[in-house]
Amino acid sequence: MSTNRVMIAGSGGQGIILMGKLLAYVAMEEGKEVTFLPSYGAEMRGGTANCSVIISDRPISCPVVHKADIVVVMNQPSFEKFESAVEPGGSLFLNSTLIKDPVTRTDIEIYKVDANKLAEDAGIGRSANIVMLGAIVRQTGIVKIENVTKALKKEFSGKKVVYLDANLLAFQAWKTG
Amino acid sequence: MSTNRVMIAGSGGQGIILMGKLLAYVAMEEGKEVTFLPSYGAEMRGGTANCSVIISDRPISCPVVHKADIVVVMNQPSFEKFESAVEPGGSLFLNSTLIKDPVTRTDIEIYKVDANKLAEDAGIGRSANIVMLGAIVRQTGIVKIENVTKALKKEFSGKKVVYLDANLLAFQAWKTG
Amino acid sequence: MAERVLMKGNEAFAEAAIRGGCRFYVGYPITPQSEIPEFMSHELPKRGGTFIQAESELGTINMSYGIGCAGGNVFISSASPGIALMQEGFSFLCSAEVPLVAMNVSRSGAGIGGIQPGQCDYNQVTRGGGNGDYHIPVFAPSTMQDAVDIIYESFEIADRYRNPVMILADGMMGQMMEPVVLPEPKTLYKDEADIANYKPWALTGSKGKANRNRIKSYHAHPAELEQYIDYLYEKYMRMEKELQRAESYHTDDAEIVFVAYGSMARIVREVLEVLRKDGIKAGMIRPISLWPFPTAPFEALNPEVTKVVISAEMSKGQMIPDIRLALKDRIPVKLFSRTGGIIPSTEEIVAFVKTLRKELK
Amino acid sequence: MAERVLMKGNEAFAEAAIRGGCRFYVGYPITPQSEIPEFMSHELPKRGGTFIQAESELGTINMSYGIGCAGGNVFISSASPGIALMQEGFSFLCSAEVPLVAMNVSRSGAGIGGIQPGQCDYNQVTRGGGNGDYHIPVFAPSTMQDAVDIIYESFEIADRYRNPVMILADGMMGQMMEPVVLPEPKTLYKDEADIANYKPWALTGSKGKANRNRIKSYHAHPAELEQYIDYLYEKYMRMEKELQRAESYHTDDAEIVFVAYGSMARIVREVLEVLRKDGIKAGMIRPISLWPFPTAPFEALNPEVTKVVISAEMSKGQMIPDIRLALKDRIPVKLFSRTGGIIPSTEEIVAFVKTLRKELK
Amino acid sequence: MKAIYQSTVGEGLTLTDTSYCPGCGHGIIHKLVMESIAELGKLGETIGVSPIGCSVVAHEYMNVEMCEAAHGRAPAVATGIKRVHPNHIVFSYQGDGDLASIGMTEIVHAAMRGEKFTTFFVNNAIYGMTGGQMAPTTLLGQKSTTSIDGRKKEISGMPIRVSELLATIDGAVYVERVAVNTPANVRKAKQAIKRALDVQQRKLGFSFVEFLSSCPTNWGLTPVNALKWVGEHMIPYYPLGIFKQPEEEK
Amino acid sequence: MKAIYQSTVGEGLTLTDTSYCPGCGHGIIHKLVMESIAELGKLGETIGVSPIGCSVVAHEYMNVEMCEAAHGRAPAVATGIKRVHPNHIVFSYQGDGDLASIGMTEIVHAAMRGEKFTTFFVNNAIYGMTGGQMAPTTLLGQKSTTSIDGRKKEISGMPIRVSELLATIDGAVYVERVAVNTPANVRKAKQAIKRALDVQQRKLGFSFVEFLSSCPTNWGLTPVNALKWVGEHMIPYYPLGIFKQPEEEK
Amino acid sequence: MARFLVKFLRDRCKACELCISVCPKQILEIETDLYNKKGYHPARVQPGKDDECIGCTSCATICPDSVISVFDTTKE
Amino acid sequence: MARFLVKFLRDRCKACELCISVCPKQILEIETDLYNKKGYHPARVQPGKDDECIGCTSCATICPDSVISVFDTTKE
Ligand SMILES: Cc1ncc(C[n+]2csc(CCOP(=O)(O)OP(=O)(O)O)c2C)c(N)n1
Ligand SMILES: Cc1ncc(C[n+]2csc(CCOP(=O)(O)OP(=O)(O)O)c2C)c(N)n1
Ligand code: SF4
Ligand code: SF4
Ligand code: SF4
Ligand code: SF4
Ligand code: SF4
Ligand code: SF4
Ligand SMILES: [Mg+2]
Ligand SMILES: [Mg+2]
C-alpha cells in the first residue's frame, strides 16, 4: 500500500490536531511523504475539529482527504459526520467511551476504543487522543511504534515532561481490536 | 470661419473664468456648438488661471485649445506663457495696464487694452475682465454684442444687480484697436 | 426638445443623478470631482434629498452601502486613489447585491500621481480590484450629453441587477462646460414608506412583512457559498450579455480602426475627419461599456479590410487585452498613448498614424 | 541537503521570510493567515527583527511603506478583503518605487465571503486594483517548498526592481503541514547604519550625503509625470520579460492541457496520472508567475496535438483571459471551476475531462 | 403563573441556536439588546448592523432586520441606514477589534456628526473570531496569540479607553460603560441600553454603550472564571459609569 | 553685527519658493519646525513625512529627508520609519482633513502605541488643497464650498477637538495646542515644537502639536484678517494650552 | 408546590455553568447523564430543591443563551 | 546708523502684509513700484524709518516666507 489517507475528527479540546501532527511527523521521520491539513475557522467556537493526514511513498498531490482508509472519530457528532467517509474496506476507529450509537456500515473494519476510560486508567484523563493514537498505530502499522514513542518523548519534554510517563502508558493502553 | 478657438489667461482673481463662461454661454444662445475648459488645480494657490473656449458651427471634438485664434492675456506671467499660443494670423489681446513687455511676434494682430484703467474709469475697478470681453467681442465679432449685453444683464441680476450698470459701461469702454 | 443648458461637467453629472432618481449623495473631496459634492451639498437638500460629507472614501462607500441596504437610491463620486480605497467596499456591495451608482472622474498616474485627466483607471474599474468573483458594469461617456444620459439611466440599471454601476469619466469631462439637454426628473419611489414596495428586499423594518429581510456577505458553509456564487455568476453573465454598448464610426471600409473611449474618443473623432480628408480610411470603435466589453463591433471587423487597430488611450495600453480578446487576435493592435495628464492633440495622432502607415508598408 | 522539517504553511512562509532577509513584519489578523503574524510576533524579535501589529490593513500597507522608505526589508501578509483594502497603498508604493514583499493567503468569495481556500483573487492581484498604470509581480507557489523558495527570493526581487512583490497562496496552503527544507538565513544589510550602503536611495537622514533623498508619489506637472510614467513603464516591461516563470508537465504530446496554479495545480498533477493511466494524454502548464503571465509554454503548444486547454481554478474563469491572450486564441479554452472554499477531488476533475472529451467528439 | 423573567427566545431573539462558545458574553449582550427593543415594541421598526467578528451573524439571532458591515465600517453603514429611515431605531453592534482598531475613524465621525443611532460596543479585550490576537483593548500583561508573553507597554502601548475618547466629542450625547460580569451588572447594562435607545428616539445625537464582556475560549478560562476576570482585571482599568448624558438628566 | 532673527532659508528651509498662497499659515509653521530642528543640529538625522494637502510637497521646502504619505496615513508611515531608525528625529506634518478626517484611525493608534515620533498638526479649519470644503474642524457657521450657508450642527455635528481627544490616550505623552496668529503666539508655538521634539528624543512616547493656522484663500480673507479670524473665532473654540506632558514637567 | 418555577429551554443550554455560579441558593446543577440536542449536558434545578428558589432571576439574567425563564406561581 | 537692521529676501516675499500688520512701530510697507521675481510687490522698511525699529523681530517671526532677518548692529 503506497498511500494512506487518514481522517481524524472530534471536538476542539480533544487533541485531534496533536494526533494528526504526531502521525505526520513520525511518517516524515520514517522518510515518507506526508501532508497534514486541519479544518479551520469553525473550531474557534468549540465546534468539531478534524484533520487529514496523508502518508505516502511518493509526492502527495492534494492534502484534502475526501475518502479515507482510516477514519478516527473521537465523539458522537464526528461519528455521525464521518462514518461515511471511510473507503470500503477501510478502518473506522471510534472512541467508544463517548460514541454509543451502533455503526451501520458493514463494509469496513471497526475498532472500538474505550479511549477516555483507558486514558483515565493510565492516569491522565486528557490523553484519550494518545490512547487512540496507540490503537491506530498498533492496529494498522501505518508508522512504527518505536518511532511514535520517540516522538512522544520529544513532544513531552521540557516543561511538559511531567506528562510523559502517563502518555507513554496511554499510548500502550489499547491492546487489541 | 467655422471654428473659433479662444484662450484666456490671467491671475486667479481677475475673472478669467467668467469671461470664458460668458463667451461660451452667448455662443450657445446663438445656436453654436461650444466648449469651455478651465485650468484646474493650480489656481487654488493664487497662481495663474486660464480657460479655453471653442465656438463652432459643428460638434466640437476636443475642448483643449493647443493653438488659439484668439488669445487674451490679463497679466504679465500669462503673457509670457501664452504669447506663443496664438495661431499665426490670430489675435492677441493684452491687458496693457499690467503687461509692460513688448510683444515679440509679428505674425499676429495685437490689441492692447488698458483694461484695469478703463474699468476704473467705468467705476468698477474689478471689471477689467468685462472691459476686455467688450474688446474681444467688438473687435472679432465672435458673438453678437447685443447678446453679450443680454447675458450681462442675466449675470448681474438679483443681488448682483448693483454692479450691472458699471459693467455695461465697462463692456463698452474699449472703443478701438 | 428640451432646452440646452451650458453646464460644467461635474455639475451636469450631479444634476443628471438627481433627475435620474438619486435621493442620497455621499462623497469626500478630491480633485477633479469636488464640484460634485459641492453642488450636491446645496442642491440635493433643496430637492428633497440628503447630502452627506463622509469622513473618507471608506466612509463614502460604506455609508452608501447602508443607504442601499435601506433602499435609498444613492450616488457617490470620487477620483482615482479614492476609488482604490473603495475596492473592498465594491466587492462587498456586489456580494450583498446592493445597488449603487458610482462615478470615477479619473486623474493620472498611480498613487497620488497628478490631478490632470487620465484614463489609467481602466484596469482598476473593469477588473474588480477587490477580492472575489464579481463584476461591475462600467460606462464611459464621451460627451456631456452621453454622461448625463447614462447617469440618468444607471439608477435603474443598478436597481434592476441589484449591483453597483460605475461611470468612468475623467478630469477633462468633469471640468469642461458644454451644452447639454437635461432629461425630465423621474421618481423611483415616492417616500420612505414607499421603499418597501419599490424594493421588497430592502431593510425597512420587519413590521408587516412575512419574513424579515437580511443583507449579508459572509457565508460560513462552502457548499452554500458556492451555490450563491453560481447564482451571482448567472447574473453577471446576464449583465455581460445585456449591457454591452458601443458606437462604431466609419469602420466598414476602414483600413485603420481606432478604439477609444471617453475624452480620447472625442479627439479621435476629429482625427478621423482629418485622416479621411487626407485619403486615409480611418474608423473608430468607441466602447461605451468597458465591462462588459462590447465584442460585436470587433467581430464585425474584416482583416481583409482593416489592417491595424489602434488603441488610443491616456494610459499605457490597459485596454489592449480587451481589444485583443474581442478581436480574437485576428488583427494586430497598436497603442497610441499619452499619460501624466496630457491630452493629445489631433495633429499628433494624425502624425502617429502617418508614421505607422509608413512602418507597416 | 538540509534537514526536512514538518511545518504549517503559514509558519513556513514566515520562517522563509525571516531567512530571506525580512527585518520587519507588519500585519493585522485575518483568517486563514493569522498564524503568520502570530509566528512573527514571537519569532521575529528573537531574530533581531521588529514585529508591528497594525491597526488595520491600511495601517499595514502604510507602515510598511514607511519601513520601505527608510530602507527596511519588510514582509506583510493578509487575505482577500484585507488585500482589497491595500490597493491604494500598492499603487502608491509602485508610484514611489518602494519595495515590499506581500503575501495573500486567499479565501473564497467577494466581500467577506467565506474563510475557506479560494483562488478568486486572481484579478485583484494581477490586474492592479489600484489607480494608475503599474504592475506588481505575483508568484503562485503550489507546494510548501515552492512557497518557501520564492518568498526567500522575493526580497531580492523587490529590492532589485524597487517594487512590491506579491506571493499568492490560499487557505489550504496556509493551513496544511508538509515537510520542507529551509534555506540558509541570509542578510541583506548588517544594521541600521548599513542601510544607506545597501539602499542609497532610502531615507536614512541627509547627513553625509551629497543630496538629501526624497520619496514621492505626487507630480504637479503633466510633462514631468508622463516622463516618470514612461520611466516606470520601461521597468515594468523589463519585469515582464525577466520574471515570467512556469512549469510544464507532459505537454508535448498532450491532447488536453490543464492550466492550474497554486493548490489547484497539486490536484491536477494527480489528475494527469489518473488520466494517463486511462490512456488519455493530459498535460499541465503551471504558471508560477501570474503577472507577468508566462507566455512561452503556451506558444509552444501545437493545436494539431492539443485540442483543448482547461483552466482549472477555484474561481469563475478569472485566468481565462490571460490564457487566451497567451495562446493567441489558437486552441479553445474550457473552464473547470469549484468555488466557495470547496477543493475539488481528483475524481471529479477526471470525470469532468471524460465528459468533456465525449462532448468534443 | 406570572413570568418574572421571560426568555426572549422567539420574540427578540430567534429560535436559531447561536454559534457562540458556551458562556460567551456576546450571548448575554444579544439578549439584553433584544429584550430592550422588544420591550419598546419596536422589533418591526428596528434595523441593526452586525460587524465582522464573532457576532458577524448576529442577524441570525436578533429578530429584527439587519445587514452585515465590512470590518470596522458598521458606524458608516448605520449612518446610511438612519438617514434613509430617520424614525426607525438603528444600531450597530461591534467588537473591539472592529470598532477600536480598524474602525476608529468611522466611530469617531459618526459621533462627531451626532448621528442618531446607537452603537453597542462589545469589549472583550481580544480578537475573538480570528483566534485570540491582541486587540487595542487587550490589558497590559494579558496574553494573546500575538503577545504570548502578555501585552507590553513598550511594544504595544496602553489599552485604549474608547468611552473616554468618545466622550470628548460633542455629538456623542450618551456614553456609558457597563459590564456583564454579574447579575447586578447585567441589569445595569440593560438600563444603559434603554437609556441609549431613549436618547436615540428623542433624536438628541449619538448614543453609545460599551460592554465589558468575556471571551472564555480565547482567554483560556472557564466561562465562570472569565466573568470573574472581567471583574478583577477589566473593571479596574475600564471604570464603569456614565461618561456623557443629556444635560437635563444629570 | 549680530542676527537677532536669522531667516532659516538655506539652512532649515531650502531655497525653493513655496507654492503656498501669500500669508498662508503653512509657511509660518514650516519655518518654525525647520528652525527648531536646525537649532537642534539634527537636520542630517531627521526624516519627515508630508501629507496629502497643500503641504504635500513640504519636502521641497524642508531641508531634511522626507517622503509623501497617502492621504491620512502619515502616522502609519512615520511609525514605519521610526521603527527602522529609532535614533533619528521622525515627524509627520499633517492637515486637518488629512489627520482629523480620513486619518483618524492612524493618528489614534500611533498615539496608543506610544510611537516615538512627533506629529505637527495644522488645523486651518478647511480642506485647503481641494478648494475649501468643510473639514471636521470647520467651525459652526463657517462657510465652505460644501456648507455654503455655514456649517450647521444638525447636519454636520460640532467641530472635533483633536488635541483633547488624543489627550485621553496614555501613549500620547505630549499634546499641546498653539496658534500662529500673533508674533507672541508664534514664539510659543516654537517652544511647543521644541518641547515635543525633546519628548521624542527622550523616547517617552508620542508627541503632538496642533497649530491653529489660517487659509486666507479658502476663507476668502486677506492674510491679516485671516490671522485675526484665528484669534477671534478659532481660539475660543479651540483653547490653547498643554493638554498632556510628561509627569516630571508639570 | 414551590413558589418559583425555573424553566429551561434545555436544548439551547451550552453548559456554561454561569447560572450555577450566580445562584445565591446554589440549587442549580449540570445534568450529567443527559445530552441535549447540541451535545451538552444541560443545566437544571437540583432535584428536590425547587422550594429553595427565591425567584431572584439571577440565573436567567446571566444566562448567555436565554435558556431560563422564571415564574412566580402565586401570581397571575 | 540705525541700531537694528531689517533685511528682506525680497524675491521670496509674497506681499502678504503680515509683517506690516504686526510691526509695533508701523514702519514697514509694500514697495508698490517694484515687482519681485515672483511678481509681487515686496515689503520693506519705509524709507527713512530704519531708526525707529526696536528690533522686536515680530515681523520676522510672523513672516510665512522666511523673508526677514533682523540684526543688531551694535553686537558681534
Ligand atoms: C478587512 C478585514 N480585516 C480583517 C478581517 C479579519 N477579522 C475578522 S473578525 C476580526 C476581529 C474580531 O475581533 P473583534 O472585533 O474584537 O470581535 P470579537 O470576535 O472579539 O467579538 C478580524 C480582524 C476581516 N474579516 N476583514
Ligand atoms: C484618498 C484621497 N482622498 C482624497 C484626496 C483629495 N485631497 C487632497 S488634499 C485633501 C485634504 C486637504 O485638506 P487638509 O488635510 O486640511 O490640508 P490643507 O490643504 O488644508 O493644508 C484631500 C481631501 C486624496 N488626494 N486622496
Ligand atoms: S471566540 Fe470568544 S467572543 Fe467568540 S464566540 Fe467564542 S467566547 Fe465568544
Ligand atoms: S489654499 Fe489655504 S492652506 Fe493652501 S496654500 Fe493657500 S492659503 Fe495655504
Ligand atoms: S431564580 Fe435565583 S434562586 Fe432561583 S434558581 Fe435562579 S438564581 Fe437560583
Ligand atoms: S447559564 Fe444558560 S447556558 Fe449556561 S449552563 Fe445555565 S442555562 Fe445553560
Ligand atoms: S523688528 Fe520689530 S520694530 Fe523692527 S521692523 Fe520688525 S516688527 Fe518693526
Ligand atoms: S510677512 Fe514676509 S512675505 Fe509677507 S509681506 Fe512681509 S516680508 Fe513679505
Ligand atoms: Mg473582541
Ligand atoms: Mg486644512
Side-chain angles (χ1 to χ4, degrees), chain A residues 74-85:
Chain A
M74 293 294 288
N75 69 356
Q76 182 67 29
S78 312
F79 170 65
E80 287 166 19
K81 197 161 165 199
F82 292 106
E83 185 189 2
S84 61

Side-chain angles (χ1 to χ4, degrees), chain F residues 26 53-54 94-98 122-129 135 137 215:
Chain F
H26 277 301
C54 281
Q94 305 178 251
D96 44 349
D98 193 76
V122 180
N123 179 356
N124 59 10
I126 204 86
Y127 287 88
M129 188 189 213
T137 45
C215 174

